[in-house]
Coordinates of all heavy atoms in Angstrom, one line a residue:
Y838 N 6.2 16.9 -0.4 CA 6.7 17.6 -1.6 C 5.5 18.4 -2.1 O 4.4 18.0 -2.0 CB 7.4 16.8 -2.5 CG 6.6 15.9 -3.5 CD1 6.1 16.5 -4.7 CD2 6.4 14.6 -3.3 CE1 5.5 15.8 -5.6 CE2 5.8 13.8 -4.1 CZ 5.3 14.4 -5.4 OH 4.6 13.6 -6.2
F839 N 5.9 19.6 -2.6 CA 4.8 20.5 -3.1 C 5.2 20.7 -4.6 O 6.3 21.0 -4.9 CB 4.9 21.8 -2.4 CG 4.6 21.8 -0.9 CD1 5.6 21.4 0.1 CD2 3.4 21.9 -0.5 CE1 5.3 21.3 1.3 CE2 3.0 21.8 0.9 CZ 4.0 21.5 1.8
H840 N 4.2 20.7 -5.3 CA 4.3 21.1 -6.7 C 4.5 22.6 -6.9 O 4.0 23.4 -6.0 CB 3.0 20.7 -7.5 CG 3.0 21.0 -8.9 ND1 2.5 22.2 -9.5 CD2 3.6 20.4 -10.0 CE1 2.8 22.1 -10.8 NE2 3.4 21.1 -11.1
K841 N 5.2 23.0 -7.9 CA 5.3 24.5 -8.0 C 4.0 25.2 -7.9 O 3.0 24.8 -8.6 CB 5.9 24.7 -9.4 CG 6.5 26.1 -9.6 CD 7.2 26.3 -10.8 CE 7.8 27.6 -11.0 NZ 8.5 27.8 -12.2
G842 N 3.8 26.1 -7.1 CA 2.6 26.8 -7.0 C 2.1 26.6 -5.5 O 1.1 27.2 -5.1
G843 N 2.8 25.7 -4.8 CA 2.5 25.5 -3.4 C 1.5 24.4 -3.0 O 1.2 24.2 -1.9
E844 N 0.8 23.8 -4.0 CA -0.2 22.7 -3.6 C 0.5 21.5 -3.0 O 1.5 21.0 -3.6 CB -1.1 22.5 -4.8 CG -0.4 21.9 -6.0 CD -1.3 21.8 -7.2 OE1 -1.7 22.9 -7.7 OE2 -1.5 20.7 -7.6
R845 N -0.1 20.9 -2.1 CA 0.4 19.6 -1.5 C 0.2 18.5 -2.4 O -0.9 18.3 -2.7 CB -0.1 19.5 -0.1 CG 0.4 18.2 0.6 CD -0.1 18.2 2.0 NE 0.1 16.8 2.5 CZ -0.3 16.4 3.6 NH1 -1.0 17.2 4.4 NH2 -0.2 15.1 4.0
Q846 N 1.2 17.7 -2.7 CA 1.0 16.6 -3.7 C 1.1 15.3 -2.9 O 0.4 14.3 -3.4 CB 2.1 16.6 -4.7 CG 2.0 17.9 -5.6 CD 0.8 17.7 -6.5 OE1 0.5 16.8 -7.1 NE2 0.0 18.9 -6.6
H847 N 1.9 15.1 -1.9 CA 2.1 13.8 -1.4 C 2.7 13.9 0.0 O 3.5 14.8 0.3 CB 3.1 13.1 -2.2 CG 3.5 11.7 -1.7 ND1 2.5 10.7 -1.8 CD2 4.6 11.2 -1.2 CE1 3.2 9.6 -1.3 NE2 4.4 9.9 -0.9
Y848 N 2.3 13.0 1.0 CA 2.9 13.0 2.2 C 3.3 11.5 2.5 O 2.4 10.6 2.4 CB 1.9 13.5 3.3 CG 2.5 13.3 4.7 CD1 3.5 14.1 5.1 CD2 2.1 12.3 5.6 CE1 4.1 14.0 6.4 CE2 2.7 12.1 6.8 CZ 3.6 13.0 7.2 OH 4.2 12.8 8.5
R849 N 4.5 11.3 2.9 CA 4.9 9.9 3.1 C 5.7 9.9 4.5 O 6.8 10.4 4.5 CB 5.9 9.4 2.0 CG 6.4 8.0 2.2 CD 7.2 7.6 1.0 NE 8.1 6.6 1.6 CZ 9.5 6.6 1.4 NH1 10.0 7.7 0.9 NH2 10.2 5.7 1.9
P850 N 5.1 9.4 5.5 CA 5.8 9.4 6.8 C 7.0 8.5 6.7 O 6.9 7.4 6.1 CB 4.8 8.8 7.8 CG 3.7 8.2 7.0 CD 3.8 8.8 5.6
V851 N 8.1 8.9 7.2 CA 9.3 8.1 7.2 C 9.9 8.1 8.7 O 10.0 9.1 9.3 CB 10.4 8.8 6.3 CG1 11.6 8.1 6.3 CG2 9.9 8.9 4.9
K852 N 10.1 6.9 9.1 CA 10.7 6.8 10.5 C 12.1 7.3 10.4 O 13.0 6.7 9.7 CB 10.8 5.3 10.9 CG 11.2 5.1 12.3 CD 11.1 3.6 12.7 CE 11.5 3.4 14.0 NZ 11.5 2.0 14.4
M853 N 12.4 8.3 11.1 CA 13.7 9.0 11.1 C 14.3 9.0 12.5 O 14.0 9.8 13.3 CB 13.7 10.4 10.6 CG 13.0 10.5 9.2 SD 13.0 12.0 8.5 CE 14.6 12.3 8.1
T854 N 15.1 7.9 12.7 CA 15.7 7.7 14.1 C 17.2 7.6 14.0 O 17.7 7.3 12.8 CB 15.2 6.4 14.7 OG1 15.5 5.3 13.9 CG2 13.6 6.5 15.0
E855 N 17.8 7.8 15.0 CA 19.3 7.7 15.1 C 19.7 6.3 15.1 O 19.0 5.5 15.8 CB 19.7 8.4 16.3 CG 21.3 8.8 16.3 CD 21.6 9.6 17.5 OE1 21.0 10.7 17.7 OE2 22.6 9.3 18.2
T856 N 20.7 5.9 14.4 CA 21.2 4.6 14.4 C 21.8 4.2 15.8 O 22.6 4.8 16.3 CB 22.3 4.4 13.3 OG1 21.7 4.8 12.1 CG2 22.7 3.0 13.2
K857 N 21.3 3.0 16.3 CA 21.9 2.5 17.5 C 23.2 1.9 17.2 O 23.5 1.3 16.2 CB 20.9 1.4 18.1 CG 19.6 1.9 18.7 CD 19.6 2.0 20.2 CE 20.0 1.0 21.1 NZ 20.0 1.4 22.5
V858 N 24.1 2.1 18.3 CA 25.5 1.5 18.2 C 25.5 0.5 19.4 O 25.2 0.7 20.5 CB 26.5 2.6 18.4 CG1 27.9 2.0 18.4 CG2 26.3 3.6 17.2
Y859 N 26.0 -0.8 19.0 CA 26.2 -1.7 20.0 C 27.7 -2.2 20.1 O 28.4 -2.2 19.2 CB 25.5 -3.0 19.7 CG 23.9 -2.7 19.6 CD1 23.3 -2.4 18.4 CD2 23.1 -2.8 20.7 CE1 22.0 -2.1 18.2 CE2 21.7 -2.5 20.7 CZ 21.2 -2.2 19.5 OH 19.8 -2.0 19.4
T860 N 28.1 -2.6 21.3 CA 29.4 -3.1 21.5 C 29.4 -4.6 21.3 O 28.3 -5.2 21.4 CB 30.0 -2.8 23.0 OG1 29.2 -3.6 23.9 CG2 30.0 -1.3 23.3
M861 N 30.6 -5.2 21.0 CA 30.6 -6.6 20.9 C 30.2 -7.4 22.2 O 29.6 -8.3 22.1 CB 32.0 -7.1 20.4 CG 32.1 -8.5 20.1 SD 31.1 -9.0 18.6 CE 32.2 -8.5 17.3
E862 N 30.6 -6.8 23.3 CA 30.2 -7.3 24.6 C 28.7 -7.4 24.7 O 28.1 -8.4 25.3 CB 30.8 -6.5 25.7 CG 32.3 -6.7 26.0 CD 32.6 -8.2 26.2 OE1 31.9 -8.9 27.0 OE2 33.5 -8.7 25.6
E863 N 28.0 -6.4 24.3 CA 26.5 -6.3 24.4 C 26.0 -7.5 23.4 O 25.0 -8.3 23.7 CB 25.9 -5.0 24.0 CG 24.4 -4.9 23.7 CD 23.6 -5.1 25.1 OE1 24.2 -5.0 26.2 OE2 22.5 -5.5 25.0
C864 N 26.5 -7.6 22.3 CA 26.1 -8.6 21.2 C 26.3 -10.0 21.8 O 25.5 -10.9 21.5 CB 26.8 -8.4 20.0 SG 26.3 -6.8 19.2
K865 N 27.4 -10.2 22.5 CA 27.7 -11.5 23.1 C 26.6 -12.1 24.0 O 26.4 -13.3 24.1 CB 29.0 -11.5 23.8 CG 30.2 -11.5 22.8 CD 31.5 -11.5 23.7 CE 32.7 -11.3 22.8 NZ 34.0 -11.3 23.5
K866 N 25.8 -11.2 24.6 CA 24.7 -11.5 25.6 C 23.5 -12.2 24.9 O 22.7 -12.8 25.5 CB 24.3 -10.4 26.4 CG 25.4 -9.8 27.3 CD 25.0 -8.5 27.9 CE 26.1 -7.9 28.7 NZ 25.7 -6.5 29.2
H867 N 23.4 -11.9 23.6 CA 22.3 -12.4 22.8 C 22.6 -13.6 22.0 O 22.9 -13.5 20.8 CB 21.8 -11.2 21.9 CG 21.4 -10.0 22.7 ND1 20.2 -9.8 23.2 CD2 22.2 -9.0 23.0 CE1 20.2 -8.6 23.9 NE2 21.4 -8.1 23.9
N868 N 22.7 -14.7 22.7 CA 23.3 -16.0 22.1 C 22.4 -17.2 22.3 O 22.9 -18.3 22.4 CB 24.6 -16.2 22.6 CG 24.6 -16.4 24.1 OD1 23.7 -16.4 24.8 ND2 25.8 -16.5 24.7
T869 N 21.1 -17.0 22.4 CA 20.2 -18.1 22.6 C 19.1 -18.2 21.4 O 19.0 -17.2 20.7 CB 19.4 -18.1 23.9 OG1 18.5 -16.9 23.8 CG2 20.3 -17.9 25.1
I870 N 18.5 -19.3 21.4 CA 17.4 -19.5 20.3 C 16.3 -18.4 20.5 O 15.7 -18.0 19.5 CB 16.9 -20.8 20.2 CG1 16.2 -21.1 18.9 CG2 16.0 -21.2 21.4 CD1 16.0 -22.6 18.5
D871 N 16.1 -17.9 21.7 CA 15.0 -17.0 22.0 C 15.5 -15.6 21.9 O 14.7 -14.7 22.1 CB 14.4 -17.3 23.3 CG 13.7 -18.6 23.4 OD1 13.1 -19.0 22.4 OD2 13.9 -19.3 24.5
D872 N 16.8 -15.4 21.7 CA 17.4 -14.0 21.6 C 18.8 -14.1 21.0 O 19.8 -14.3 21.6 CB 17.5 -13.5 23.0 CG 18.1 -12.1 23.1 OD1 17.9 -11.3 22.1 OD2 18.6 -11.6 24.2
C873 N 18.8 -14.0 19.7 CA 20.0 -14.2 18.9 C 20.3 -13.0 18.0 O 19.5 -12.6 17.1 CB 19.8 -15.4 18.0 SG 21.3 -15.9 17.1
W874 N 21.5 -12.4 18.3 CA 22.1 -11.3 17.5 C 23.3 -11.8 16.8 O 24.2 -12.5 17.3 CB 22.4 -10.1 18.4 CG 21.3 -9.4 19.0 CD1 20.0 -9.8 19.0 CD2 21.4 -8.2 19.8 NE1 19.3 -8.9 19.7 CE2 20.1 -7.8 20.2 CE3 22.4 -7.3 20.0 CZ2 19.8 -6.7 20.9 CZ3 22.2 -6.2 20.8 CH2 20.9 -5.9 21.2
L875 N 23.5 -11.3 15.5 CA 24.7 -11.6 14.7 C 25.4 -10.3 14.3 O 24.7 -9.3 14.1 CB 24.3 -12.4 13.5 CG 23.7 -13.8 13.6 CD1 23.4 -14.5 12.3 CD2 24.5 -14.7 14.5
V876 N 26.7 -10.4 14.3 CA 27.4 -9.2 13.8 C 28.1 -9.6 12.5 O 28.8 -10.6 12.4 CB 28.6 -8.9 14.9 CG1 29.5 -7.8 14.4 CG2 28.0 -8.6 16.2
M877 N 27.7 -8.8 11.5 CA 28.2 -9.1 10.1 C 28.4 -7.7 9.4 O 27.5 -6.8 9.6 CB 27.3 -10.0 9.4 CG 27.1 -11.3 9.8 SD 26.2 -12.4 8.8 CE 24.5 -11.8 9.3
F878 N 29.4 -7.6 8.6 CA 29.6 -6.3 7.9 C 29.6 -5.1 8.7 O 29.1 -4.1 8.3 CB 28.6 -6.2 6.7 CG 28.3 -7.4 6.0 CD1 27.2 -8.3 6.2 CD2 29.3 -7.8 5.0 CE1 27.1 -9.5 5.4 CE2 29.1 -9.0 4.3 CZ 28.0 -9.8 4.5
D879 N 30.1 -5.2 10.0 CA 30.2 -4.1 11.0 C 28.8 -3.6 11.4 O 28.6 -2.5 11.8 CB 31.0 -2.9 10.4 CG 32.5 -3.2 10.2 OD1 32.9 -4.1 11.0 OD2 33.1 -2.6 9.5
K880 N 27.8 -4.5 11.2 CA 26.4 -4.2 11.6 C 25.9 -5.3 12.5 O 26.4 -6.4 12.6 CB 25.5 -4.0 10.4 CG 26.0 -2.9 9.4 CD 25.1 -2.8 8.3 CE 25.5 -1.7 7.4 NZ 24.6 -1.4 6.3
V881 N 24.8 -4.9 13.2 CA 24.3 -5.8 14.2 C 22.8 -6.2 13.7 O 22.0 -5.4 13.4 CB 24.1 -5.2 15.6 CG1 23.6 -6.2 16.6 CG2 25.6 -4.8 16.1
Y882 N 22.5 -7.5 13.7 CA 21.3 -8.0 13.4 C 20.7 -8.9 14.4 O 21.3 -9.7 14.9 CB 21.4 -8.9 12.0 CG 22.1 -8.2 10.9 CD1 23.5 -8.1 10.7 CD2 21.3 -7.5 9.9 CE1 24.0 -7.4 9.7 CE2 21.9 -6.8 8.9 CZ 23.2 -6.8 8.8 OH 23.8 -6.1 7.8
N883 N 19.3 -8.6 14.7 CA 18.5 -9.5 15.6 C 17.8 -10.5 14.7 O 16.8 -10.1 14.2 CB 17.6 -8.6 16.4 CG 16.8 -9.5 17.4 OD1 16.8 -10.7 17.3 ND2 16.0 -8.8 18.2

Side-chain angles (χ1 to χ4, degrees):
Y838 77 87
F839 297 88
H840 181 266
K841 191 173 182 179
E844 64 190 62
R845 181 175 162 185
Q846 296 290 313
H847 177 69
Y848 176 75
R849 181 175 153 238
V851 178
K852 186 178 179 184
M853 302 185 70
T854 59
E855 198 172 305
T856 302
K857 286 260 310 168
V858 176
Y859 299 95
T860 64
M861 189 62 84
E862 285 304 313
E863 173 67 20
C864 295
K865 286 179 182 181
K866 297 175 187 174
H867 302 273
N868 60 3
T869 67
I870 196 162
D871 297 321
D872 183 22
C873 185
W874 291 9
L875 298 181
V876 176
M877 294 183 283
F878 311 105
D879 294 333
K880 296 180 180 185
V881 180
Y882 301 91
N883 180 352

